[in-house]
């Protein structure tokens, strides 16, 4: 059987094109590997990073990965934001380090690395073994306002982006959602402050069971309002995060949440502090400040849950 010239030509072209694509792909991968080698964490899976410690004059910062979150250990123990923790780690890992060639031993004082401005310690797991990476920032800046760094006994330069990484404040890493819980909420109880019980809404308790919510034991409720209330809880974020301080407060009410995965109830006391509204959670070491509009979305009486929902079609009339 004769093979036509056209078939032979197509076969040759296919082989050449295939080789060219293979070579291009290999070249591209080599360039990516080379670029990654210059990053702070070139071959470390970010999911294996367990702890970040920043030593600095303004006070140490320690961020620890749990099973499903990033939490603060210093300057205080506090629930962190998973998203903020991941972004912080990514900001460190992706920064480029440029090696500096020197003749002879490095005089670290020339680059401000005899007394570093900050030190990063990153603990991670590699091949089932714990590892640690140390990185120091010099107090002398480069001509383009970047940094000199020491890593594994070698000298590098890097960008000015390190400034915002080592000067980060705990508020940027804290969980700003006021209500944080595990599992499913099984009950919500509102207890008015005793001194204000005559002026505020009476207490009530929402409980979930048999696939429905009941209010003070009665199922005569509007489920849409329960869903809206639950959404207000899930979406409630602090306008400001404060540390506890001695200020004159007037207690308004307390929300008590229980879940199917917690033996201890979560308590959130709402108070007035002058013109400000604050929330004091029993499970957190901070105080949240919120607007009066946010307060109104949670400060409801029993009538709210048993009244008829607004007819949304009325808005189109």
């Amino acid at each position: 059987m004769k093979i036509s010239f056209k078939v032979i030509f197509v076969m040759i072209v296919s082989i050449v094109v295939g080789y060219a694509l293979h070579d291009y792909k290999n070249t591209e991968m080599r360039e990516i590997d080379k670029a990654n080698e210059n990053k702070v964490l070139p071959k470390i899976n970010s999911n294996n990073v367990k702890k970040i410690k920043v030593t600095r004059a303004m006070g140490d910062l320690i961020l620890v990965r749990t099973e499903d979150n990033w939490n603060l250990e210093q300057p205080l123990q506090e629930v962190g934001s998973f998203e903020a923790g991941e972004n912080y780690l990514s900001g460190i890992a992706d920064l480029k380090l440029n090696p500096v060639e020197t003749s002879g031993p490095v005089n670290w004082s020339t680059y401000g690395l005899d007394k570093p401005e900050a030190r990063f310690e990153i603990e991670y797991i590699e091949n089932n073994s714990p590892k640690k990476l140390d990185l120091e920032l010099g107090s002398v800046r480069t001509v383009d306002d970047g940094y000199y760094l020491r890593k594994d006994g070698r000298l590098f330069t890097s960008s000015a982006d390190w400034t915002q990484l080592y000067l980060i404040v705990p508020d940027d890493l804290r969980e700003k959602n006021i209500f944080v819980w595990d599992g499913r909420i099984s009950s919500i109880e509102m207890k008015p402050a005793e001194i204000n019980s005559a002026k505020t809404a009476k207490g009530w308790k929402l409980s979930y069971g048999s696939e429905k919510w009941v209010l003070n034991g009665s199922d005569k409720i509007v489920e849409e309002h329960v869903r809206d209330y639950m959404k207000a809880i899930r979406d409630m974020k602090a306008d400001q995060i404060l540390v506890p301080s001695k200020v004159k407060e007037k207690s308004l009410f307390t929300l008590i949440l229980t879940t199917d995965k917690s033996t201890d109830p979560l308590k959130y006391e709402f108070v007035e502090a002058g013109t400000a509204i604050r929330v004091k959670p029993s499970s957190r070491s901070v105080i949240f400040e919120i607007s009066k509009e946010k307060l109104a979305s949670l400060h409801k009486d029993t009538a709210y849950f048993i009244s008829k929902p607004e007819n949304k079609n009325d808005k189109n009339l």
Side-chain angles (χ1 to χ4, degrees):
M1 181 180 67
K2 292 183 179 181
I3 301 177
S4 68
F5 174 78
K6 185 176 180 180
V7 172
I8 294 174
F9 176 76
V10 170
M11 290 174 64
I12 293 173
V13 170
S14 299
I15 293 172
V16 171
V17 171
Y19 177 81
L21 288 173
H22 178 73
D23 185 62
Y24 172 80
K25 190 67 175 179
N26 284 342
T27 301
E28 185 180 41
M29 292 303 296
R30 284 194 297 270
E31 290 176 351
I32 292 174
D33 288 342
K34 186 176 180 180
N36 286 337
E37 283 179 2
N38 291 332
K39 291 183 178 180
V40 176
L41 302 175
K43 297 179 181 180
I44 300 174
N45 185 334
S46 62
N47 292 328
N48 291 334
V49 174
K50 303 302 180 184
K51 182 178 180 180
I52 302 171
K53 179 180 179 180
V54 186
T55 304
R56 55 198 183 168
M58 61 189 289
D60 294 354
L61 181 138
I62 297 179
L63 196 61
V64 176
R65 185 195 292 273
T66 64
E67 184 177 345
D68 56 3
N69 199 22
W70 282 98
N71 289 335
L72 282 160
E73 279 199 353
Q74 283 191 17
L76 75 170
Q77 292 188 336
E78 173 60 6
V79 177
S81 163
F82 176 78
E83 182 180 0
E86 288 292 288
N87 289 339
Y88 187 63
L89 173 60
S90 178
I92 295 172
D94 291 340
L95 281 180
K96 186 179 179 182
L97 300 180
N98 307 301
V100 177
E101 300 299 332
T102 60
S103 57
V106 178
N107 183 356
W108 297 111
S109 62
T110 302
Y111 308 99
L113 283 160
D114 55 331
K115 297 179 180 179
E117 190 165 324
R119 181 183 184 187
F120 286 77
E121 299 172 61
I122 301 171
E123 297 181 13
Y124 60 96
I125 302 296
E126 185 177 66
N127 297 325
N128 296 321
S129 298
K131 304 284 185 180
K132 186 169 77 167
L133 172 69
D134 289 340
L135 192 71
E136 294 173 316
L137 272 61
S139 56
V140 175
R141 306 296 285 268
T142 62
V143 292
D144 58 352
D145 205 34
Y147 283 90
Y148 290 103
L149 300 95
R150 176 164 49 195
K151 175 189 175 187
D152 299 330
R154 296 181 59 195
L155 180 64
F156 297 87
T157 61
S158 193
S159 72
D161 292 339
W162 284 100
T163 301
Q164 61 183 5
L165 290 171
Y166 94 81
L167 291 179
I168 193 167
V169 295
D171 277 2
D172 294 335
L173 297 168
R174 287 186 177 122
E175 175 57 70
K176 292 181 174 59
N177 283 323
I178 294 177
F179 297 91
V180 179
W181 66 87
D182 291 327
R184 181 187 178 118
I185 292 179
S186 53
S187 72
I188 308 170
E189 184 176 3
M190 195 278 278
K191 283 191 173 182
E194 292 182 5
I195 58 173
N196 296 319
S197 59
K199 301 178 182 179
T200 59
K202 291 183 178 180
W204 48 260
K205 184 174 183 178
L206 281 168
S207 304
Y208 186 80
S210 302
E211 299 185 353
K212 65 180 180 180
W213 287 94
V214 296
L215 176 67
N216 297 335
S218 171
D219 61 358
K220 305 297 183 181
I221 60 174
V222 180
E223 291 191 3
E224 182 180 349
H225 285 185
V226 176
R227 289 194 296 269
D228 289 345
Y229 196 83
M230 292 290 293
K231 185 177 187 304
I233 287 178
R234 286 194 305 269
D235 296 346
M236 182 72 67
K237 292 184 182 293
D239 297 328
Q240 277 189 288
I241 301 178
L242 310 170
V243 295
S245 60
K246 292 183 178 179
V247 295
K248 188 175 181 180
E249 297 175 344
K250 182 174 74 172
S251 183
L252 300 175
F253 64 95
T254 299
L255 279 183
I256 304 172
L257 274 61
T258 60
T259 73
D260 58 1
K261 289 189 176 181
S262 175
T263 55
D264 297 322
L266 302 171
K267 298 181 180 180
Y268 301 85
E269 184 184 9
F270 289 73
V271 302
E272 281 184 340
T275 59
I277 303 298
R278 294 179 177 176
V279 186
K280 302 166 66 176
S282 61
S283 60
R284 307 279 291 273
S285 58
V286 293
I287 294 173
F288 300 110
E289 193 164 286
I290 62 172
S291 66
K292 291 185 177 180
E293 289 76 18
K294 290 181 179 179
L295 172 69
S297 69
L298 294 180
H299 197 195
K300 304 294 187 181
D301 59 15
T302 55
Y304 169 78
F305 295 103
I306 61 177
S307 62
K308 292 183 179 179
E310 177 186 355
N311 188 347
K312 295 181 180 179
N313 292 328
D314 291 346
K315 297 180 181 180
N316 299 323
L317 295 178

